[in-house]
Amino acid sequence: MARSRSHTRRSARANPRGVLSVHGGGYGFVQTSEGEFFVPASKMGGAFDGDVVELAALPQERRRGSGGGRAAGGPPAPSRQRPAARVVRVVERACDTLVGRYEVAEPFGVVVPEDPRIPYDIFTRRADRPDIEDGALVRVRIESYPTRHTAATGVVEEVVGRTDDAGAGVEVVIARHRLETAFSEDALAEARAAVLDEEGALAAGYRDLRGRLTFTIDPADARDFDDALSLDSVVLPNDGTADATNDLWMDESAPREELPCHPERSGEAAESKDLCGRRVWRLGVHIADVSHYVPWDCALDRDARRRGTSVYLVDRVVPMLPHELSGELCSLKPGETRRAMTVDLYLDDAGELAGYEVYPSLVRSDARLTYDEAQRLLEAASGPASASDGPAAGGAGAAGEGARAEGAHGGEGGGPAAAPAAAAPGAGAPGAGAGPIARRLAALSRLAKRRAAMRAAAGGLDFDTAEAKVRLDAEGRPVAIDLRRKTDATSLVEEAMILANETVARHLKERSFPSLYRVHESPDVGDLAALVPLLQEFPWFAEIDAARFAAGDPHALQRALAESAARPEGALVSTLLLRSMKRAVYRERAEAHYGLASEVYTHFTSPIRRYPDLVVHRMLKAQLSRRPEKFDQEVAALPWIAEHSSAQERVADAAARESQELKMVEYLQRDVGRAFPAVVSGVAAFGLHVRLENTAEGFLPVRALGREYFAFDPARHVLYGEDTGAAYRLGQRVAVVLVAADPRTRTLEFRLAAGKDEGAPRR
């Protein structure tokens, strides 16, 4: 007998789940496999921003009036855009600590979160910490989360500072991301005990390169110097030694160097080349030998492994290694002997890599150059090329823009601009003795442009965007916003580091030796296809094959970047494409790097500040000599190290970005009421995101566009006024007035400057 349908048991339908993203108004959104849901502020169910939550859809009658409409500052109307839901339960908490303002309310100490997206106060026992002053900034560990009937409770772990301190906002960033600012006593003891031991290095096979003219190029505010460069024109005669008398740039008093007639060859181009008897460029990339002082699983290594990376905040550096190493013994400071790992890259005048050598060395940097100083030397040295400019006079090579190496160069800055370090006396620092360095910079710049052109031809992408750095005074208050752009000086360093990273990666891969690699996958077709309707708003995009663009053809993307570069929307197009890219990650297996058009790539050039680079150094040394103790332990940990380092990199990037935004908004507080030219960088149903020339971004709510109703076209990202036909779209220039600047939330609010918006064209 058949069972009645009314008695058939049905499996319970699972509620949708996703990560809750809370906005300053208290409401939030959750992206799930069933689409995006709107969560009213009253239906959060004790959930915090970032929590994984389970949802239940709200009934239709409750959905009305649940917080949408066009009320001032309100969220978008859910009934028009997204279904509304309530949080049923929190599946996974995003954090168990937060930073807030301590308020005395006997018998409690109430912590009011600094993050406006967390609307719940945390109650602590005043008796546990009676020493904490009212108004102090504290980090509290949550012991119980809020429910419908009970408040959240916790324990104060640390007093961070005071809310009126200039650096208080950065302290909040540090605490929010749980950045480690103190090293273990064992790690500090190991750092203090480290010694250079020059004689021991030479006895162990380190090559003495202290006679080679070497220099560093970094930002003016750099705190550590991972990498140094050298460039010589050398002849490799048949007897395998360099002919010093024919070497254009070698001092006659310098010792003759033993050079291989056949250095290890790399790539197909090298197979047809014989270096013997030829004059070639020898580009030396010298990287601090951190691995000598930080072997696997020592206390220093455990601290560095946990951090994963140094964090460069607006006013300070949170280093991966103690200062005794990062700022002293491992830093390639001018006039100081240092252990290094050297990659000698042998290039012909067209920039083709013909061969390379990798080995440990002793180096002594002759000068520290800032990027600005190096650029001035390049400009002063520019002029007609002479026969002495290169190993093969008259060598041709097209200049071009290269791919942007994400994180290729290790000389990162942090904090207020520092005075450049003094160069070694008589060593060729900028000034009267700049000739030898200037000649090398000019030749290296020509090689870099040829390498960049080769990379572009292979499909490398160059997102030439301005980088904003907030300049602070001695008290940590913002005084200016500086824009840093790509120059010939930055490019020559970048190309040298890219080539060294590629060469080391290929060296290890070809020998099937375990290591870490930097992998960048091609973008998803859907992400690029979603950009096509947006870019079709610009007339120049009609000249680009949309199908190839959507398929991720790098040459189609290159053309979009080139066509938009000199236009008002150029920065926006570059940003949109950059956001459509997948994030590069670390992996224990060798795969391609899409953005750099590299078959295999690694991070080798910044072991002071990045843990994966330190691992690569250890693997390279193990391949060149013998496997150290505990080598198998480190190899077994490579998958975990890759995943953890990728995650820590994301944390560091977020913290660095937030600290810059904080001070940028703080700086712009003085300009409330001032008009600015801006570009529309985002369009949503509830308003416009606008970007100022100094890269600061803020929001212009739809209510500030006028009294009429504005309809949102999500496919083309355009807001249309239904009465006037006025339209606001991506890339459009508008004149805006700053209405509010809130450092606490790192937000800027704008309105249109009366009668001065450059656009709002009709449909």
Side-chain angles (χ1 to χ4, degrees):
M1 179 176 177
R3 296 182 63 182
S4 168
R5 283 181 63 114
S6 61
H7 296 287
T8 302
R9 179 178 296 175
R10 298 181 181 180
S11 58
R13 182 180 178 183
N15 288 322
R17 295 182 178 185
V19 176
L20 176 65
S21 176
V22 181
H23 289 234
Y27 58 91
F29 300 96
V30 180
Q31 183 67 50
T32 74
S33 59
E34 299 180 21
E36 188 175 46
F37 288 83
F38 166 75
V39 182
S42 61
K43 304 300 177 185
M44 288 291 178
F48 288 16
D49 180 71
D51 288 350
V52 178
V53 297
E54 182 178 315
L55 302 175
L58 289 173
Q60 184 67 34
E61 61 272 17
R62 187 170 298 191
R63 192 179 301 176
R64 297 193 197 101
S66 57
R70 297 179 61 229
S79 60
R80 295 181 61 88
Q81 299 295 335
R82 306 167 181 84
R86 64 181 177 88
V87 174
V88 175
R89 69 184 182 95
V90 177
V91 178
E92 182 180 341
R93 291 287 181 179
C95 66
D96 56 4
T97 62
L98 56 82
V99 175
R101 185 180 70 257
Y102 189 86
E103 296 181 354
V104 176
E106 293 288 358
F108 302 108
V110 182
V111 180
V112 181
E114 280 292 292
D115 190 338
R117 297 170 301 178
I118 301 177
Y120 308 102
D121 295 343
I122 314 300
F123 285 76
T124 69
R125 285 167 47 90
R126 175 69 178 157
D128 291 341
R129 293 295 303 269
D131 57 308
I132 302 178
E133 298 179 1
D134 189 82
L137 275 177
V138 300
R139 183 191 354 248
V140 61
R141 177 170 295 279
I142 301 172
E143 292 189 325
S144 65
Y145 290 87
T147 68
R148 292 181 60 185
H149 306 291
T150 61
T153 62
V155 176
V156 174
E157 288 190 328
E158 177 188 5
V159 177
V160 174
R162 291 198 58 83
T163 54
D164 54 357
D165 293 341
V170 180
E171 293 289 354
V172 171
V173 172
I174 291 173
R176 179 184 300 133
H177 292 282
R178 288 182 272 185
L179 304 180
E180 294 189 37
T181 58
F183 292 93
S184 66
E185 286 300 323
D186 288 343
L188 291 173
E190 289 178 357
R192 288 190 288 264
V195 294
L196 175 64
D197 188 13
E198 297 177 35
E199 296 303 320
L202 294 174
Y206 283 63
R207 293 193 199 175
D208 192 347
L209 303 186
R210 288 174 288 184
R212 194 187 292 190
L213 181 57
T214 306
F215 48 89
T216 62
I217 309 176
D218 293 278
D221 55 357
R223 302 297 181 86
D224 49 59
F225 310 106
D226 298 81
D227 54 87
L229 296 174
S230 63
L231 184 69
D232 296 286
S233 168
V234 297
V235 171
L236 302 179
N238 290 327
D239 64 1
T241 59
D243 185 345
T245 61
N246 290 333
D247 186 348
L248 293 176
W249 290 343
M250 194 171 250
D251 295 334
E252 292 185 6
S253 60
R256 290 163 63 90
E257 293 187 60
E258 295 294 325
L259 295 176
C261 184
H262 294 283
E264 292 205 57
R265 294 174 177 177
S266 176
E268 295 179 1
E271 295 179 3
S272 62
K273 294 179 181 291
D274 189 345
L275 300 183
C276 298
R278 293 185 53 199
R279 182 175 291 280
V280 294
W281 295 110
R282 180 184 59 191
L283 168 59
V285 179
H286 314 281
I287 308 301
D289 182 15
V290 179
S291 63
H292 171 74
Y293 306 102
V294 188
W296 168 258
D297 214 30
C298 66
L300 277 168
D301 179 61
R302 290 191 293 273
D303 277 25
R305 192 190 321 162
R306 196 167 54 250
R307 285 167 166 80
T309 179
S310 296
V311 185
Y312 293 84
L313 302 173
V314 66
D315 65 346
R316 73 197 74 177
V317 178
V318 182
M320 185 181 77
L321 297 169
H323 177 73
E324 289 85 352
L325 294 183
S326 63
E328 294 296 335
L329 197 54
C330 292
S331 190
L332 305 185
K333 300 166 71 174
E336 301 287 344
T337 297
R338 294 289 184 258
R339 291 177 182 250
M341 287 297 292
T342 289
V343 182
D344 277 339
L345 304 159
Y346 294 92
L347 304 165
D348 63 19
D349 199 43
E352 291 278 2
L353 180 63
Y356 67 91
E357 289 184 275
V358 185
Y359 53 89
S361 63
L362 286 182
V363 300
R364 182 186 293 123
S365 174
D366 294 284
R368 183 218 160 168
L369 303 177
T370 67
Y371 281 131
D372 289 342
E373 289 168 342
Q375 186 64 26
R376 286 195 292 270
L377 287 177
L378 281 171
E379 292 168 357
S382 63
S386 65
S388 63
D389 280 339
E401 291 298 322
R404 182 184 184 189
E406 34 80 336
H409 181 217
E412 293 293 332
I437 288 182
R439 289 199 301 271
R440 285 164 168 80
L441 288 176
L444 185 50
S445 183
R446 287 192 294 274
L447 288 171
K449 289 176 180 178
R450 291 160 190 171
R451 292 292 309 175
M454 294 162 57
R455 187 175 306 284
L461 300 176
D462 184 8
F463 298 99
D464 188 16
T465 55
E467 179 186 12
K469 294 284 187 180
V470 182
R471 197 190 323 152
L472 308 178
D473 63 16
E475 284 74 40
R477 296 181 176 84
V479 296
I481 298 175
D482 298 326
L483 295 183
R484 298 178 179 179
R485 288 194 173 274
K486 192 169 187 176
T487 65
D488 286 347
T490 62
S491 294
L492 71 86
V493 175
E494 190 170 66
E495 286 300 326
M497 300 304 147
I498 291 174
L499 184 55
N501 284 333
E502 285 179 327
T503 302
V504 169
R506 190 182 302 111
H507 177 90
L508 291 168
K509 179 187 178 184
E510 289 176 350
R511 287 153 183 78
S512 300
F513 205 81
S515 188
L516 289 179
Y517 295 91
R518 185 69 166 174
V519 174
H520 185 214
E521 296 178 336
S522 58
D524 288 333
V525 172
D527 291 338
L528 290 175
L531 294 182
V532 171
L534 305 181
L535 298 181
Q536 284 175 336
E537 293 287 307
F538 305 115
W540 51 262
F541 193 73
E543 303 298 321
I544 297 173
D545 188 324
R548 289 177 55 200
F549 179 93
D553 184 325
H555 297 287
L557 272 60
Q558 282 177 344
R559 188 167 182 192
L561 291 169
E563 291 288 342
S564 62
R567 304 175 190 271
E569 65 271 15
L572 172 65
V573 172
S574 184
T575 300
L576 289 173
L577 282 176
L578 193 56
R579 289 174 180 170
S580 72
M581 298 292 111
K582 291 184 178 178
R583 190 180 181 100
V585 295
Y586 296 105
R587 287 192 183 144
E588 75 281 6
R589 58 185 183 276
E591 298 175 17
H593 193 296
Y594 174 83
L596 294 176
S598 298
E599 293 182 2
V600 61
Y601 195 72
T602 193
H603 273 173
F604 159 79
T605 52
S606 298
I608 289 178
R609 68 182 182 98
R610 291 188 307 224
Y611 190 76
D613 302 54
L614 174 57
V615 172
V616 171
H617 275 237
R618 293 198 194 112
M619 295 296 111
L620 186 58
K621 277 189 173 181
Q623 188 278 320
L624 292 173
S625 54
R626 60 183 179 83
R627 303 187 182 198
E629 185 181 356
K630 300 182 180 179
F631 176 78
D632 291 338
Q633 289 182 16
E634 185 167 15
V635 170
L638 288 179
W640 177 87
I641 293 172
E643 183 177 355
H644 176 71
S645 297
S646 298
Q648 290 303 103
E649 179 186 58
R650 292 191 291 272
V651 171
D653 287 350
R657 182 180 63 254
E658 288 178 16
S659 73
Q660 290 288 340
E661 290 173 351
L662 167 74
K663 291 298 181 180
M664 192 176 291
V665 173
E666 187 178 322
Y667 176 77
L668 288 170
Q669 279 183 305
R670 68 194 71 183
D671 291 323
V672 170
R674 177 185 164 191
F676 293 89
V679 172
V680 176
S681 59
V683 183
F686 41 97
L688 306 174
H689 297 275
V690 295
R691 178 186 175 98
L692 306 185
E693 292 176 342
N694 62 13
T695 76
E697 293 201 54
F699 189 66
L700 194 158
V702 71
R703 68 178 185 275
L705 295 178
R707 293 183 177 275
E708 66 181 310
Y709 181 81
F710 280 83
F712 176 52
D713 182 344
R716 300 169 65 195
H717 280 235
V718 180
L719 275 177
Y720 293 112
E722 292 195 344
D723 296 333
T724 65
Y728 294 92
R729 50 174 46 85
L730 284 173
Q732 182 176 315
R733 288 184 175 182
V734 291
V736 297
V737 174
L738 181 60
V739 175
D742 186 354
R744 183 167 171 260
T745 59
R746 307 189 313 279
T747 57
L748 301 171
E749 183 177 338
F750 295 93
R751 64 171 172 82
L752 286 179
K756 292 188 177 181
D757 55 300
E758 300 181 26
R762 300 186 185 279
R763 299 171 80 166

